[in-house]
Amino acid sequence: MAESSFDSYSSDSKPGNKQAIKFYGDFKIPASYNDHKIVLMVRDPWTIFSYWEVKKEIEDKTVHEISKKGLQIASSILRVYDVTDSLDELQDKIVFDFELRDFIDKWYIHTHKPGRKWMVEIGIKCTNGEFFPLIRSNVVSAPSYGMSDVFDDKWMCSEDLYYKMFAMSGGYGVGTSSMSLKEMITRRLKEWLSSGGIISGMFGSASLFSHHKK
Amino acid sequence: MAQGYLALVLHAHLPFIRHPEHDSFLEENWFFEAITDTYVPLINVFDSLIDDNVDFHITVSLSPTLISMLRDDLLISRYHRHLDKLIQLTELEIQRTGYDERLNKLAHMYNKRFTETKRVFADKYNNNILTAFKKFQDMGKVEVITCCATHGYLPLMDLYRPAVRAQVEVAVNTYKEVFGKGPIGIWLPECGYHPGHDAILAEFGIKYFFVETHGILFGEPRPRYGVYSPYLTSSGTAVFGRDLESSKSVWSSKEGYPGDHRYREYYRDIGFDLDYDYIKPFVNNCGTRINTGIKYNRITGENDHKDIYNRVSALEAAASHAGNFMYNREKQVEHLRGVMDREPIIVSPYDAELFGHWWFEGPEWIEFLFRKMHFDQDKVKTITPGEYLKKYDKYPIIQPGMSSWGYKGYSEVWLDGCNDWIYKHLHKMAEMMTHVARKYEKPSDMERRVLNQMARELLLAQASDWAFIIKTGTFVSYAVNRTSEHISHFMSFNDQLYNGNIDVKMLESAESHYNLFKDIDYRIYV
């Protein structure tokens, strides 16, 4: 799991340590927190986001270990695991490997798979394919997309009725009724959300400063 | 006999913007405009309905930052100054527009409107319009609910549950100070829900919250009543889903009512249209042209030509649109009764500032709607979520899906290439805050003040408004500055605590500048 430092931040933030300072607007804020940490966040059912800080000394130690083994480094990797079922046997759960170029410290990962659990690692990949992890993230759950197949037996109704309620909630009239609605409605909702949902082309979602000119 | 219910929900929020270090500050105008355009007109609508014994029920969420600004003496005195200047400008406008009867009539309208606003704000409600909302709540007409402390967007804070909890706890405490009891409901900022947060709401006695339509539709198990019934989460907190159909008819600037050509055009304002020398004393101190709120044109059509605004015709449109909205809800309820074994509730939430500020005739639309619903039919009644929850003993259980009402329905607005840099800092601050809150069990008085100010700085940095503004591209430098200012202050105070070297002047300055949540206790982060 990610390792963080708290008090140690102070020593890095002293004026004069220019590497640790970044200007945003009129104020100085730390460029880094001297952490060894990777964080994973969910943006939407299809996209997760990760940012990280890797401690140089830990990276150096791993590089040394690799060279002791007589292996050759190929690249730094952001490895994505689908851990929906469990965290065991991770080797079988690798979904993507992204090669990291210099100075990259964040990444959007388009998984294209809603309703799954994800975890990522940063590590070093060798030419023989061996992977040496440096840091592991938290696990996140991306939301499902579409009507659930789970039923509450205390509140059951006919399949047709479920679709009617779904259709009316999604903006369809009650007159439309057919099993093919499921696909149609899911598609329509997806189109609707992809185009921005209700907010798109509207008055904005956050008050006075948010308007989009008509 | 009612066959179904309509729950209108107005979410009123502004970020905490207060700059005592400047004589006047452009972004403070958002607050002044919202009072004049939205909050006072809504209060007038509610008072008018009560005077005429019109039964109505509506839900209003007041964000804790907005509450804090409405209680701030400096901002209130500046609002007076703002309003006095506006009234002065309308007096000049009455003279200037003497050549045109239609314009002159409008200048008189604005003069009367602003003068009346001043009377209601200052005299009737003694410079504290929160008392109006308390009065409406005590009368059983308005259900006032809360929002998170600084409108922090919770789904992207989920990794740090103490930070989520603090956003809720500070909100509840602020609400109690004003309304004398805890809030029954909450508007989650940007309607942003993450599974598990309902349990935090339950801890603070909150009975319900809202999610976007697909938060319910994609919930588990499959929702029996679509979005037309509340559901209970596993924590016992109820959740209501937004109705798409009714929302669209008001929200949309193209398909929706506010785009009608008879309504007032927002984007034509004398602050931009008149000679600079004439308007200069009434715009920003630095001389930048700004909206004054005095607008003489109607939407007219798509092109640049804009006819003169006709108030009578605009109010006719508002009445007609209210009638149409009511008719559509009647039909909707008829349909729903055909497929539901209980009375449906249609939940229609909106940003409060849409009414009056963007859609000038919005408050009148609400008034027409409530009057028509009261006098012209009995199929659909207005209700609040709190009232609806008393109707039935049992509700289905659901786990709503992560969702928001932002662009594309999830977190893309607040997590984007342009604003994602802030989370490294917000998360670090949340970690550090929890750490120091646990570490300082018995702080000195000075340390306690520093710790409390760190909590304020963290909350202020978390406001979803900054990420939103950065994403939308207007007022970006202000949002970047505010975010980095709070990060910078927080880190500096943390250093001071760590080094045992507290900068009293800096502390006093921060406390007086960002003076909200006076009774905050940093131990909320333990």
Side-chain angles (χ1 to χ4, degrees):
Chain A
M1 185 52 197
E3 174 194 319
S4 308
S5 63
F6 298 101
D7 295 334
S8 62
Y9 156 74
S10 291
S11 58
D12 289 338
S13 68
K14 282 178 184 164
N17 186 349
K18 287 176 185 167
Q19 286 188 328
I21 298 296
K22 206 167 181 175
F23 275 92
Y24 271 96
D26 300 336
F27 296 89
K28 289 183 290 186
I29 62 173
S32 96
Y33 290 98
N34 196 28
D35 273 347
H36 189 63
K37 173 182 174 181
I38 180 163
V39 171
L40 190 57
M41 299 159 76
V42 176
R43 195 186 77 172
D44 55 51
W46 312 275
T47 317
I48 51 178
F49 169 75
S50 184
Y51 70 84
W52 59 85
E53 281 187 24
V54 175
K55 275 190 173 168
K56 184 80 170 62
E57 54 265 38
I58 294 175
E59 191 175 355
D60 289 347
K61 205 175 145 192
T62 309
V63 169
H64 183 66
E65 195 185 322
I66 290 168
S67 98
K68 259 172 55 183
K69 284 188 168 185
L71 299 172
Q72 284 237 308
I73 291 173
S75 53
S76 292
I77 293 289
L78 173 70
R79 175 162 281 187
V80 183
Y81 299 96
D82 181 341
V83 292
T84 308
D85 299 326
S86 78
L87 282 165
D88 302 330
E89 294 167 13
L90 281 177
Q91 188 61 31
D92 300 335
K93 290 165 182 166
I94 301 165
V95 183
F96 309 107
D97 270 352
F98 296 106
E99 191 180 324
L100 300 175
R101 309 273 168 167
D102 290 345
F103 308 119
I104 286 175
D105 59 2
K106 61 180 183 180
W107 201 283
Y108 288 89
I109 303 149
H110 302 287
T111 65
H112 305 291
K113 284 186 183 171
R116 312 292 294 175
K117 287 185 180 173
W118 306 100
M119 190 184 75
V120 293
E121 281 181 342
I122 298 273
I124 298 171
K125 200 172 182 177
C126 296
T127 48
N128 70 343
E130 204 170 334
F131 181 69
F132 292 82
L134 293 169
I135 188 83
R136 178 178 290 185
S137 79
N138 53 304
V139 174
V140 293
S141 299
S144 300
Y145 193 85
M147 195 195 280
S148 170
D149 291 325
V150 178
F151 296 87
D152 181 346
D153 51 15
K154 290 184 193 140
W155 297 85
M156 288 291 278
C157 64
S158 70
E159 190 78 352
D160 192 46
L161 204 49
Y162 276 121
Y163 287 122
K164 278 185 179 167
M165 292 309 308
F166 197 91
M168 293 183 76
S169 303
Y172 274 97
V174 76
T176 330
S177 76
S178 147
M179 289 298 284
S180 67
L181 264 177
K182 182 181 182 180
E183 196 188 331
M184 206 160 88
I185 296 162
T186 306
R187 193 172 63 238
R188 177 185 156 133
L189 267 169
K190 188 164 186 174
E191 283 166 7
W192 167 66
L193 288 170
S194 306
S195 67
I198 284 186
I199 297 308
S200 174
M202 320 257 169
F203 287 88
S205 66
S207 313
L208 285 94
F209 44 82
S210 66
H211 61 279
H212 300 283
K213 202 155 184 168
K214 283 183 279 181
Chain B
M1 180 67 187
Q3 292 182 33
Y5 296 91
L6 170 69
L8 280 189
V9 182
L10 303 182
H11 168 51
H13 163 67
L14 284 174
F16 190 79
I17 294 177
R18 177 181 180 273
H19 290 277
E21 75 278 22
H22 296 286
D23 181 50
S24 73
F25 200 82
L26 177 64
E27 284 80 1
E28 284 180 0
N29 279 5
W30 299 343
F31 175 61
F32 306 148
E33 288 170 16
I35 296 175
T36 309
D37 297 346
T38 297
Y39 309 145
V40 168
L42 284 176
I43 287 168
N44 289 339
V45 165
F46 300 153
D47 267 328
S48 159
L49 293 169
I50 289 166
D51 288 347
D52 292 345
N53 288 318
V54 174
D55 189 32
F56 71 99
H57 301 266
I58 189 168
T59 305
V60 176
S61 74
L62 298 174
S63 75
T65 46
L66 176 60
I67 285 179
S68 301
M69 289 192 287
L70 286 168
R71 297 165 86 190
D72 184 77
D73 290 341
L74 175 73
L75 287 174
I76 296 305
S77 70
R78 288 185 175 185
Y79 177 60
H80 275 269
R81 185 178 67 183
H82 171 88
L83 207 46
D84 287 341
K85 271 176 91 174
L86 260 185
I87 293 168
Q88 197 190 337
L89 178 58
T90 57
E91 285 161 359
L92 285 178
E93 278 297 281
I94 288 171
Q95 292 170 29
R96 188 188 69 81
T97 57
Y99 66 94
D100 185 314
E101 193 187 335
R102 290 177 306 167
L103 288 179
N104 192 248
K105 211 170 158 184
L106 290 172
H108 276 284
M109 178 190 83
Y110 284 116
N111 177 263
K112 194 177 160 197
R113 183 181 174 88
F114 298 144
T115 309
E116 176 63 7
T117 300
K118 189 173 177 182
R119 186 192 70 76
V120 170
F121 186 86
D123 302 336
K124 188 172 180 181
Y125 288 108
N126 199 22
N127 296 315
N128 182 2
I129 55 172
L130 292 168
T131 59
F133 288 102
K134 184 172 189 309
K135 177 184 82 174
F136 300 138
Q137 170 147 282
D138 292 344
M139 294 173 86
K141 300 297 178 193
V142 178
E143 192 159 282
V144 183
I145 60 172
T146 191
C147 184
C148 287
T150 55
H151 215 259
Y153 181 67
L154 302 187
L156 297 178
M157 213 184 284
D158 180 60
L159 202 53
Y160 300 91
R161 289 280 172 100
V164 174
R165 186 173 284 104
Q167 280 277 349
V168 176
E169 184 167 353
V170 172
V172 169
N173 291 343
T174 305
Y175 184 99
K176 282 180 181 167
E177 285 172 21
V178 176
F179 297 101
K181 59 178 184 180
I184 186 173
I186 189 167
W187 176 261
L188 294 174
E190 308 298 358
C191 216
Y193 171 74
H194 190 287
H197 293 177
D198 46 280
I200 293 172
L201 306 181
E203 271 180 49
F204 295 100
I206 292 171
K207 303 291 183 209
Y208 70 83
F209 63 103
F210 304 90
V211 293
E212 176 57 295
T213 316
H214 57 286
I216 294 290
L217 293 186
F218 298 165
E220 187 179 309
R222 189 178 284 190
R224 166 67 181 83
Y225 297 115
V227 293
Y228 301 110
S229 164
Y231 297 81
L232 293 181
T233 58
S234 56
S235 62
T237 320
V239 55
F240 290 80
R242 169 154 84 149
D243 172 56
L244 267 183
E245 194 179 319
S246 58
S247 295
K248 259 199 306 193
S249 60
V250 176
W251 265 116
S252 171
S253 58
K254 283 181 182 157
E255 299 166 52
Y257 306 133
D260 189 284
H261 61 89
R262 290 166 288 181
Y263 288 139
R264 194 185 73 165
E265 171 62 57
Y266 178 83
Y267 294 100
R268 289 291 293 275
D269 188 291
I270 65 167
F272 288 91
D273 288 351
L274 295 186
D275 282 347
Y276 182 67
D277 289 341
Y278 172 79
I279 208 72
K280 192 170 176 246
F282 302 98
V283 294
N284 197 25
N285 269 8
C286 63
T288 320
R289 285 183 181 269
I290 54 167
N291 283 327
T292 61
I294 300 174
K295 302 165 200 287
Y296 292 135
N297 298 94
R298 64 182 179 88
I299 291 172
T300 313
E302 289 291 317
N303 58 31
D304 287 343
H305 169 76
K306 302 291 175 193
D307 288 341
I308 302 294
Y309 179 65
N310 181 323
R311 181 68 175 161
V312 174
S313 163
L315 289 180
E316 280 170 5
S320 157
H321 286 148
N324 178 265
F325 187 88
M326 181 180 76
Y327 174 80
N328 288 338
R329 299 295 75 74
E330 287 178 81
K331 290 293 157 201
Q332 201 175 2
V333 162
E334 270 176 34
H335 284 152
L336 287 165
R337 283 301 278 142
V339 290
M340 284 178 71
D341 54 9
R342 50 175 61 195
E343 291 157 353
I345 178 170
I346 298 164
V347 177
S348 304
Y350 309 98
D351 275 344
E353 294 79 13
L354 167 63
F355 297 88
H357 184 70
W358 295 113
W359 181 15
F360 185 54
E361 299 80 4
E364 285 82 1
W365 177 83
I366 291 177
E367 180 163 0
F368 284 130
L369 176 66
F370 284 157
R371 285 181 186 276
K372 281 173 187 290
M373 288 185 72
H374 179 72
F375 290 113
D376 297 352
Q377 58 86 50
D378 54 11
K379 199 172 281 175
V380 189
K381 282 204 174 304
T382 54
I383 201 167
T384 64
E387 290 161 350
Y388 188 90
L389 285 172
K390 291 178 192 157
K391 287 189 70 65
Y392 299 99
D393 292 334
K394 288 182 178 172
Y395 294 94
I397 292 177
I398 203 170
Q399 171 56 64
M402 184 195 123
S403 50
S404 87
W405 77 347
Y407 183 68
K408 294 188 179 177
Y410 295 94
S411 300
E412 189 172 326
V413 172
W414 304 276
L415 182 61
D416 176 80
C418 66
N419 58 22
D420 55 25
W421 59 271
I422 66 177
Y423 295 100
K424 175 168 81 175
H425 304 288
L426 297 185
H427 291 170
K428 186 67 186 176
M429 288 161 80
E431 272 180 25
M432 291 165 76
M433 192 67 229
T434 308
H435 177 74
V436 291
R438 288 175 183 158
K439 183 176 168 185
Y440 285 86
E441 287 178 15
K442 289 180 183 169
S444 67
D445 286 349
M446 197 56 80
E447 285 169 338
R448 184 185 306 280
R449 280 173 61 187
V450 171
L451 287 158
N452 288 340
Q453 190 57 31
M454 284 173 72
R456 289 186 196 101
E457 301 289 347
L458 169 56
L459 289 167
L460 287 164
Q462 287 171 330
S464 70
D465 311 283
W466 312 138
F468 182 88
I469 293 173
I470 294 168
K471 168 73 177 172
T472 53
T474 44
F475 303 98
V476 172
S477 60
Y478 183 75
V480 169
N481 265 338
R482 280 296 298 273
T483 307
S484 49
E485 177 183 10
H486 297 304
I487 297 168
S488 169
H489 281 181
F490 181 96
M491 294 301 166
S492 184
F493 285 129
N494 185 65
D495 280 359
Q496 291 172 29
L497 266 187
Y498 183 69
N499 296 325
N501 183 19
I502 294 170
D503 181 340
V504 181
K505 272 193 175 169
M506 181 185 169
L507 177 62
E508 284 172 350
S509 165
E511 284 173 335
S512 69
H513 192 157
Y514 295 110
N515 62 345
L516 73 177
F517 311 143
K518 287 190 174 63
D519 296 325
I520 199 169
D521 182 344
Y522 71 93
R523 287 172 299 182
I524 54 175
Y525 286 96
V526 170

